[in-house]
């Protein structure tokens, strides 16, 4: 399966593209973001489930192009869709990311077997990294996430004080992951890195015994 050149994206561009999509399709920016609805609103795209994707091909989700109809189908493993909501939502977000970032590549993927071949290719690590970042920016948009982190921080200060750093950080990550309906791992990754970097701010605030989280 031959594919076109892999597009390159800076992190700032990935954040910008995700913000643009939310502004266009989810203007109220209520949390949690309805990633299923965003995907179903994508022109020429159908969201569906498929039994055995992980068992047979080792992938939780794929996107397949149908050239005769000029449309795409996003397929999510049935067990993933019926199981962990956070994993399911992030998997849908990744496939939506691929559609926005790598559509020319996906136009060469005409079956689940070809999708599995793409996942196993040397190029896929870069594609996957960008799609994951895009999904994170969609599901955990930085502006409301920072606002919610400040609110959660203030509540945890009342509960734990300033001396239980590990418990404090873990509680903050868990509460935000529950609010945004994502798993703890992706939430912690988002909170550690630009443009959010909340956990670094939490460490400084606790060290200063601040009652609120600074900008």
């Amino acid at each position: 399966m031959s594919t076109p050149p892999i597009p390159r994206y800076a992190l700032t561009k990935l954040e910008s593209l995700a913000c643009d999509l939310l502004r266009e399709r989810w203007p109220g920016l209520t949390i949690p973001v309805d990633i299923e609805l965003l995907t179903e609103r994508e022109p020429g795209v159908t969201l569906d489930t498929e039994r055995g994707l992980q068992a047979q091909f080792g992938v939780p989700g794929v996107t397949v192009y149908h050239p005769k109809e000029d449309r795409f189908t996003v397929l999510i493993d049935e067990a993933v869709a019926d199981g962990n909501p956070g994993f399911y939502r992030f998997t849908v977000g990744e496939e939506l990311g691929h559609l926005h970032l790598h559509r020319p590549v996906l136009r060469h993927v005409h079956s689940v077997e070809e999708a599995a071949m793409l996942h196993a290719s040397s190029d896929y690590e870069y594609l996957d990294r960008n799609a994951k970042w895009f999904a994170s920016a969609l599901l955990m948009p930085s502006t409301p996430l920072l606002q919610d982190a400040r609110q959660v921080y203030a509540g945890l200060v009342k509960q734990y004080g300033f001396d239980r750093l590990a418990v404090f950080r873990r509680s903050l990550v868990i509460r935000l992951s529950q609010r945004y309906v994502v798993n703890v791992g992706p939430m912690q990754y988002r909170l550690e890195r630009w443009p959010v970097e909340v956990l670094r701010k939490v460490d400084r605030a606790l060290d200063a015994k601040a009652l609120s989280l600074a900008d």
Side-chain angles (χ1 to χ4, degrees), residues 109-211:
V109 177
H110 300 160
S111 66
V112 174
E113 289 78 9
E114 289 186 354
M117 288 172 57
L118 176 62
H119 279 244
S121 71
S122 58
D123 290 327
Y124 189 72
E125 182 179 354
Y126 184 80
L127 298 173
D128 186 52
R129 191 162 60 245
N130 282 348
K132 279 183 165 61
W133 194 285
F134 188 91
S136 293
L138 281 180
L139 291 167
M140 297 167 276
S142 59
T143 298
L145 183 55
L146 284 166
Q147 293 170 348
D148 287 331
R150 292 188 185 99
Q151 183 176 353
V152 172
Y153 175 90
L156 290 175
V157 164
K158 295 178 181 178
Q159 181 176 356
Y160 294 121
F162 302 105
D163 300 323
R164 301 175 65 186
L165 176 59
V167 173
F168 197 109
R169 285 168 57 105
R170 180 69 175 173
S171 296
L172 182 132
V173 172
I174 289 173
R175 293 189 189 188
L176 289 173
S177 69
Q178 291 170 342
R179 168 148 174 71
Y180 284 74
V181 196
V182 297
N183 285 354
V184 167
M187 176 57 75
Q188 180 159 338
Y189 190 93
R190 183 71 168 162
L191 294 176
E192 287 174 342
R193 286 161 176 80
W194 178 90
V196 182
E197 297 180 325
V198 157
L199 293 182
R200 187 180 306 173
K201 297 173 184 176
V202 166
D203 292 348
R204 289 199 299 263
L206 291 178
D207 186 59
K209 300 192 183 309
L211 295 175

